[in-house]
Amino acid sequence: MAAQPPPLTEWSPYRHVAARHLDGYLRVRGGEFRLRPLPGGHTLLEGRTFYEMRIFPAAYWRLWSDALIHAIHQRVLGHIEALSEAEPP
């Protein structure tokens, strides 16, 4: 992984706003894609993200972060599915 992206991008008349109070609370440790063979010559693509939550109460915030990361996975995997099943140009 190259770098952790900034936790927040703000619309501001200032060139750069560093929200230091948000740094380090959700830290992505890595991710992976796995291809699994299925019957009939099909393939299942799975995506996983490994992260840690450093905010109290962690159990509460994990509900939100899990839902958000799941939505991101669904969008990315749906895009990959659409591209892989599209007719060639």
Side-chain angles (χ1 to χ4, degrees):
M1 179 167 44
Q4 186 76 23
L8 175 70
T9 302
E10 295 187 29
W11 290 358
S12 171
Y14 304 102
R15 183 168 204 167
H16 177 70
V17 176
R20 300 279 181 232
H21 62 286
L22 298 176
D23 283 343
Y25 291 103
L26 175 70
R27 180 161 306 275
V28 176
R29 293 293 181 197
E32 67 182 9
F33 287 106
R34 288 187 179 194
L35 297 171
R36 298 193 181 223
L38 295 174
H42 297 278
T43 303
L44 175 67
L45 174 62
E46 296 177 328
R48 293 184 184 175
T49 300
F50 306 100
Y51 69 94
E52 62 181 296
M53 179 66 64
R54 292 184 174 184
I55 191 168
F56 182 80
Y60 170 78
W61 290 108
R62 183 166 291 282
L63 292 172
W64 294 103
S65 59
D66 283 351
L68 178 64
I69 291 171
H70 179 73
I72 293 168
H73 284 171
Q74 291 301 105
R75 183 174 175 158
V76 170
L77 294 174
H79 182 69
I80 293 170
E81 177 183 34
L83 291 175
S84 66
E85 294 179 354
E87 292 292 324

